[in-house]
């Protein structure tokens, strides 16, 4: 059974759902009856403007495809059996949740909310699904059988490739990265990777701004079929079947701690999974040995160091092979001939792909990423072990594209010029050289097919991430459902109330007076938005159509600074914007990483953590750009977050690759601030105007704690079930003392098998 991690009431269970809702369609119009079909669970039917593919767990509308979890689809099929009629909650519990009265009530709310999100339905003015107060639910849109859907063909345009270059260098010494982890969990890469990795990808970008093309045909009649491999609580985010197909290796995050490597019988979804990796290592890549006797995986320790391991099943022992780069994208693959492991690492300050034999010998560099770019990543071997596809980042704007190496000649070919800000896994498909890859469309990860011969991409009609090729040529991928909105949390109630409505992800709330700045993907790109109050409609402040993250508002709320693609040619840097205007000024365009800035109370300068000097430091900027930025010396390497105290005489920063917070005086003296209990991890923190430290932590529950620094006292302000807030949640304190928080509406991921 798939269980949502959150125990809190979903948006569908709030006050709105307790009121009768008027529909827009009369029940008499709902003909013919779906119950006349022989096997509705295995047939496609029309629901309003949507085509429902029950067997494939998805909805289709023209070029658009939206995936549904199994229980949500089961509920939709049950309602569609009785169109226009009220189906009671009791019947829903009996039919779909096997009479489980403990789990079902909240699970029904989640399933109904999921359906409304997927259908784009408004509970206050529904067109599809109506709540019948104190009774149940009914479909009010027309339901009809589908006999045939015409198939359309696609024609792709060719694209020139980059001339071959030599790629194999002598083996250098690989050293672990000195920086911290970019994010604690695989699934968090959809939401944030140091927040600067928030990447929206508009479909039009792929067709209008590159020589390659993405075809968007009408919905074909024969879409690929995928079957679920897992529906466990939490997030299963990487997966691959053993060469004989009997075992499933996968990474699994269960709401706290780290995502560990597990093994389970592939055919039995209810079989017990056995943990392979230690409890303190975050897994971000895995690969089966072609003989099925071993597993290779990459994992990051709490210190931030990354290690490539090989685990031998016969002896249940592991061996460290090499240091790797903690990128939290797919960063490992094993060649089908068994000779080489390809992985991401950094040596002599240059990131790239490296090869190593399974016995630890033969370490050598395979590629070198451009200066200031992240290491080449997401390697994928072709079935004949002659070619290696991978992702490479453009350091100017942070976008990524598909590349391919030919091992025998060392020739490097750039396959695409799609400028993808969200690229979430690459794999060859079948026995040939055609690729499947995942990219972000709006807030959804979509699987696409790359035709190497035609140099074009087309959607497969499936949501998915991290595709991984199995020995038989099939694909395992992760179906991630994650939606984040902004809520107001008042300490007296302890219940976050959703404040800004959007079907896109809204992130990074930053309070200023009665207003709020935040990042939203509602236009297809992460842009900076502003809301004057809870009830006022938000308005967009930027139109960069690239990356925007981590807004910080000046004390008088007149201007903002943020990390974004505001430099020439959408080059990444630090950006400044007058809230009353539309012109964005690039304070830097150095393609460096920037954390969340903090304005000095005086309003003329701010401090921000960045690696702009080659290593992470705190930097002091004049807001008007009249002076060159100055580096601030700190006793420990700072992480991405820093904040001035209200009096402007000291600041607090988080030590990189650590949960420790440090107080630094204007004279440079430092001391540790109180820490959390050992069983809890730090999620986010803020200084209040009265000098107290507020912390969001995660342990057995998610808690807001208040530390009174001068008195040494702490208070738990509120406690919430796991999954209430996103994994890398951010919050900000409002003028009235309440908090703006990121609220996790869905946070689940399951593995799917695509044949």
């Amino acid at each position: 059974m798939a269980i949502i991690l959150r125990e809190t009431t979903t948006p569908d269970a709030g006050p709105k759902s307790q009121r009768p809702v008027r529909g827009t369609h009369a029940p008499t119009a709902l003909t013919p009856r779906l119950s006349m079909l022989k096997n509705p669970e295995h047939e496609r039917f029309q629901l309003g403007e949507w085509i429902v593919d029950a067997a494939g767990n998805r909805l289709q509308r023209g070029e658009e495809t939206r995936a549904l979890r199994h229980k949500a689809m089961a509920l939709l099929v049950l309602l569609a059996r009785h169109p226009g009629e009220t189906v009671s909650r009791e019947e829903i519990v009996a039919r779909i949740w096997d009479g489980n009265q403990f789990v079902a009530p909240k699970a029904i709310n989640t399933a109904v909310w999921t359906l409304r999100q997927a259908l784009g339905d408004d509970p206050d003015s529904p067109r599809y699904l109506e709540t019948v107060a104190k009774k149940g639910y009914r479909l009010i849109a027309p339901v009809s059988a589908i006999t045939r859907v015409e198939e359309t063909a696609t024609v792709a345009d060719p694209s020139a490739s980059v001339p071959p270059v030599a790629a194999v260098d002598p083996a250098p010494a690989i050293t672990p990265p000195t920086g911290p982890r970019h994010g604690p969990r695989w699934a968090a890469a959809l939401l944030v990777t140091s927040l600067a990795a928030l990447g929206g990808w508009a479909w039009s970008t792929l067709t209008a701004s590159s020589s390659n093309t993405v075809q968007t045909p009408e919905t074909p009649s024969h879409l690929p079929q995928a079957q679920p491999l897992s529906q466990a609580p939490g997030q299963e985010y990487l997966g691959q079947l053993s060469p004989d197909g009997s075992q499933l290796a996968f990474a699994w995050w269960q709401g706290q701690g780290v995502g560990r490597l597990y093994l389970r019988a592939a055919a039995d979804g209810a079989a017990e999974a056995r943990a392979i990796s230690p409890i303190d290592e975050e897994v971000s890549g895995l690969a089966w040995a072609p003989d099925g006797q071993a597993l290779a995986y990459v994992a990051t320790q709490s210190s931030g160091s990354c290690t490539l391991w090989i685990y031998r099943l016969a002896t249940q022992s592991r061996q460290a092979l090499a240091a790797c780069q903690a990128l939290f994208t797919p960063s490992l693959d094993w060649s089908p001939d068994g000779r080489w492991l390809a992985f991401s690492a950094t040596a002599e300050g240059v990131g790239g792909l490296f090869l190593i034999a399974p016995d630890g010998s033969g370490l050598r560099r395979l590629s070198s990423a451009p200066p200031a770019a992240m290491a080449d990543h997401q390697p994928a071997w072709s079935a004949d072990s002659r070619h290696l596809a991978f992702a490479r980042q453009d350091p100017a704007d942070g976008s990524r594209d598909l590349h391919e190496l030919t091992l025998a000649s060392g020739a490097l070919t750039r396959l695409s010029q799609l400028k993808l800000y969200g690229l979430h896994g690459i794999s060859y498909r079948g026995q040939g050289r055609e690729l499947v890859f995942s990219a972000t469309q709006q807030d959804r990860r979509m699987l696409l097919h790359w035709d190497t011969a035609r140099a074009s991409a087309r959607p497969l009609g499936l949501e998915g991430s991290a595709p991984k090729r199995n020995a038989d040529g099939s694909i395992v991928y992760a179906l991630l459902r994650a939606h984040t909105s902004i809520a107001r949390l008042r300490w007296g109630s302890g219940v976050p109330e959703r404040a800004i409505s959007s079907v896109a992800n809204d992130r990074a709330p930053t309070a200023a007076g009665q207003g709020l700045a935040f990042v939203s993907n509602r236009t297809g790109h992460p842009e900076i938005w502003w809301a004057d109050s809870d009830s006022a409609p938000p308005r967009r402040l930027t139109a960069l159509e690239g990356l925007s993250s981590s807004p910080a508002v000046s004390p008088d709320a007149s201007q903002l600074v943020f990390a974004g693609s505001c430099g020439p040619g959408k080059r990444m840097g630090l950006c400044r914007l007058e809230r009353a205007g539309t012109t964005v000024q690039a304070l830097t365009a150095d393609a460096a990483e920037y954390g969340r800035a903090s304005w000095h109370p005086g309003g003329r300068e701010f401090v921000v953590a960045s690696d702009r000097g080659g290593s992470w430091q705190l930097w002091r900027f004049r807001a008007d750009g009249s002076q060159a930025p100055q580096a601030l010396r700190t006793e420990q390497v700072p992480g991405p977050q820093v904040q001035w105290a209200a009096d402007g005489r000291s600041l607090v920063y988080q030590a990189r690759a650590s949960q420790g917070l440090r107080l630094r005086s204007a004279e440079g003296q430092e001391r540790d601030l109180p820490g959390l209990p050992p069983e809890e991890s730090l999620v986010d923190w803020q200084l209040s105007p009265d000098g107290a430290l507020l912390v969001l932590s995660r342990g057995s529950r998610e808690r807001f704690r208040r530390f009174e620094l001068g008195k040494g006292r702490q208070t738990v302000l509120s406690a919430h079930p796991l999954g209430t807030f996103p994994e890398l949640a951010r919050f900000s304190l409002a003028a009235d003392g309440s908090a703006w928080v990121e609220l996790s509406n869905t946070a689940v991921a399951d593995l799917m098998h695509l044949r």
Side-chain angles (χ1 to χ4, degrees):
M1 177 184 298
I3 301 175
I4 303 292
L5 272 178
R6 291 193 305 120
E7 301 171 15
T8 53
T9 304
T10 63
D12 202 52
K16 290 183 179 180
S17 66
Q18 304 305 315
R19 302 195 303 263
V21 180
R22 295 196 177 106
T24 57
H25 298 82
T28 55
L30 304 177
T31 58
R33 290 284 299 273
L34 181 66
S35 55
M36 298 174 62
L37 296 177
K38 293 181 179 179
N39 296 294
E41 293 84 356
H42 303 289
E43 299 184 38
R44 288 147 55 90
F45 60 90
Q46 188 85 35
L47 174 64
E49 59 188 356
W50 291 94
I51 295 173
V52 181
D53 178 7
N57 278 351
R58 57 190 167 185
L59 306 173
Q60 297 166 281
R61 181 176 60 185
E63 302 167 358
E64 186 176 8
T65 301
R66 297 185 179 182
L68 285 176
R69 288 176 66 87
H70 173 70
K71 292 297 186 183
M73 179 57 76
L75 175 59
L76 182 58
V77 168
L78 175 61
L79 295 173
R81 284 181 180 274
H82 309 279
E85 300 177 7
T86 300
V87 179
S88 69
R89 290 177 68 94
E90 290 75 18
E91 182 177 356
I92 294 171
V93 171
R95 293 287 192 89
I96 300 178
W97 277 275
D98 299 322
N100 189 334
Q101 295 288 346
F102 177 75
V103 172
K106 292 178 181 177
I108 291 175
N109 294 338
T110 298
V112 169
W113 181 85
T114 300
L115 286 176
R116 285 182 170 142
Q117 288 288 105
L119 293 166
D121 209 16
D122 184 351
D124 284 335
S125 182
R127 295 183 298 128
Y128 292 94
L129 179 59
E130 183 181 54
T131 300
V132 182
K134 299 182 180 181
K135 292 184 178 181
Y137 304 92
R138 68 183 176 197
L139 287 182
I140 57 176
V143 179
S144 59
I146 291 178
T147 56
R148 186 173 184 269
V149 177
E150 295 296 328
E151 183 175 5
T152 59
T154 63
V155 179
D157 297 330
S159 174
S161 61
V162 178
V165 296
V168 178
D169 300 331
I174 298 180
T175 55
T178 56
R181 307 162 62 171
H182 288 263
R185 232 121 0 242
W186 175 280
L190 172 68
L191 308 176
V192 253
T193 303
S194 298
L195 281 182
L198 270 169
W201 174 56
W203 206 256
S204 59
T205 311
L206 302 180
T207 56
S209 63
S210 74
S211 58
N212 296 136
T213 60
V214 172
Q215 303 298 328
T216 55
E218 295 181 9
T219 304
S221 59
H222 301 292
L223 289 172
Q225 298 297 310
Q227 298 296 326
L229 282 174
S230 71
Q231 286 191 314
Q235 299 169 351
E236 306 93 74
Y237 56 89
L238 275 173
Q240 187 178 32
L241 294 172
S242 60
D244 63 3
S246 65
Q247 296 187 81
L248 174 67
F250 64 102
W252 186 12
W253 181 64
Q254 301 182 57
Q256 58 181 315
V258 300
R260 301 173 66 187
L261 177 62
Y262 285 82
L263 271 180
R264 193 205 77 198
D268 184 3
E272 183 178 357
R274 177 167 60 95
I276 297 300
S277 62
I279 198 170
D280 60 344
E281 293 182 352
E282 182 81 39
V283 174
S284 58
L286 61 86
W288 277 97
D291 61 7
Q293 300 302 306
L295 272 166
Y297 69 95
V298 293
T300 305
Q301 292 76 34
S302 57
S303 63
S305 62
C306 178
T307 304
L308 167 61
W309 298 91
I310 186 166
Y311 178 89
R312 305 192 185 279
L313 275 67
T315 60
Q316 297 188 17
S317 61
R318 66 175 187 162
Q319 173 191 356
L321 296 185
C324 50
Q325 183 72 50
L327 296 175
F328 295 92
T329 63
S331 53
L332 171 69
D333 203 19
W334 202 321
S335 62
D337 62 12
R339 296 179 59 195
W340 298 108
L341 291 161
F343 65 103
S344 300
T346 296
E348 300 173 351
V350 179
L353 293 177
F354 291 78
L355 293 184
I356 194 170
D359 63 1
S361 64
L363 176 66
R364 62 175 179 173
R365 178 186 287 273
L366 193 59
S367 73
S368 297
M374 64 189 299
D376 293 337
H377 52 288
Q378 306 183 39
W381 289 96
S382 61
D384 59 9
S385 300
R386 296 180 179 179
H387 305 278
L388 189 72
F390 65 95
R392 171 167 287 180
Q393 184 188 47
D394 183 338
D397 61 7
S399 65
R400 308 173 197 181
D401 266 295
L402 307 175
H403 292 68
E404 185 181 61
L405 273 167
T406 301
L407 270 293
S409 64
L412 173 65
T413 303
R414 178 172 178 170
L415 299 179
S416 71
Q417 298 184 42
L418 300 174
K419 293 290 186 180
L420 302 172
Y421 288 105
L423 181 56
H424 317 291
I426 307 167
S427 180
Y428 287 92
R429 188 178 184 187
Q431 305 303 319
R433 289 178 60 193
E434 294 188 351
L435 296 168
V436 172
F437 66 98
S438 173
T440 302
Q441 180 191 9
Q442 298 286 7
D443 283 325
R444 296 176 296 146
R445 295 182 177 188
M446 304 299 298
L447 291 179
L448 294 98
H449 168 259
W450 178 261
D451 186 331
T452 303
R454 296 175 180 268
S456 67
R458 62 178 175 82
L460 285 179
L462 294 171
E463 287 191 52
S465 178
K468 189 78 171 177
R469 182 184 179 277
N470 301 310
D472 63 359
S474 64
I475 297 289
V476 172
Y477 65 92
L479 176 58
L480 175 66
R481 307 298 295 167
H483 181 264
T484 301
S485 60
I486 294 175
R488 178 83 78 140
L489 179 58
R490 304 181 191 278
W491 307 120
S493 67
V495 178
E497 300 174 357
R498 186 174 175 180
I500 300 175
S501 297
S502 172
V503 296
N505 279 334
D506 292 339
R507 303 302 304 262
T510 304
Q514 299 301 316
L516 180 75
F518 60 98
V519 178
S520 178
N521 279 23
R522 59 187 71 196
T523 61
H525 301 272
E527 302 283 6
I528 308 298
W529 288 69
W530 178 269
D532 287 315
S533 65
D534 293 26
S535 57
R539 64 181 186 276
R540 184 171 58 160
L541 297 183
T542 63
L544 297 178
E545 297 187 351
L547 293 178
S548 300
S549 67
S550 308
V553 187
S554 62
D556 62 1
S558 65
Q559 52 186 324
L560 301 88
V561 292
F562 60 96
S565 51
C566 59
K570 297 185 179 180
R571 190 174 180 85
M572 288 293 296
L574 196 61
C575 314
R576 175 180 171 272
L577 171 68
E578 296 283 348
R579 190 163 64 86
T582 59
T583 301
V584 178
Q585 174 191 1
L587 296 176
T588 67
D590 48 16
E593 278 194 69
Y594 287 89
R596 184 165 56 179
S598 176
W599 285 83
H600 189 276
R604 297 182 179 180
E605 60 182 37
F606 59 87
V607 63
V608 64
S610 174
D611 63 352
R612 66 188 307 271
S615 60
W616 279 88
Q617 300 180 79
L618 295 183
W619 291 86
R620 199 167 188 166
F621 280 80
R622 293 284 293 187
D624 59 6
S626 60
Q627 297 180 8
Q630 297 177 333
L632 295 180
R633 183 184 61 82
T634 55
E635 294 181 2
Q636 297 187 20
V637 179
Q641 185 174 350
V642 61
Q643 186 178 352
W644 283 105
D647 59 8
R649 297 165 57 186
S650 60
L651 57 81
V652 174
Y653 70 93
Q654 184 175 347
R656 196 156 179 82
S658 168
Q659 295 198 132
L661 299 178
R662 306 276 295 175
L663 179 68
R664 181 189 186 276
S665 68
E667 294 76 25
Q669 298 175 334
E670 296 188 15
R671 64 180 176 88
D672 289 326
L673 293 182
L676 293 167
E679 67 274 10
E680 294 187 12
S681 59
L682 178 64
V683 179
D684 196 23
W685 57 273
Q686 287 280 295
L687 289 173
S688 66
D690 62 1
L693 175 68
L694 273 67
V695 169
L696 173 59
S697 67
R698 180 175 289 118
S700 59
R701 293 172 67 83
E702 294 172 342
R703 295 178 174 87
F704 277 94
R705 296 179 181 271
R706 174 184 169 90
F707 293 88
E708 298 181 47
L709 302 181
K711 301 177 181 178
R713 295 187 310 201
Q714 65 165 294
T715 306
V716 176
L717 298 177
S718 63
H720 311 267
L722 286 173
T724 301
F725 308 108
E727 192 176 349
L728 297 181
R730 296 291 179 258
F731 75 93
S732 179
L733 297 178
D736 63 0
S738 63
W740 291 99
V741 299
E742 294 176 346
L743 183 66
S744 178
N745 296 322
T746 57
V748 292
D750 297 315
L751 296 176
M752 305 291 289
H753 189 200
L754 175 63
R755 298 184 184 275

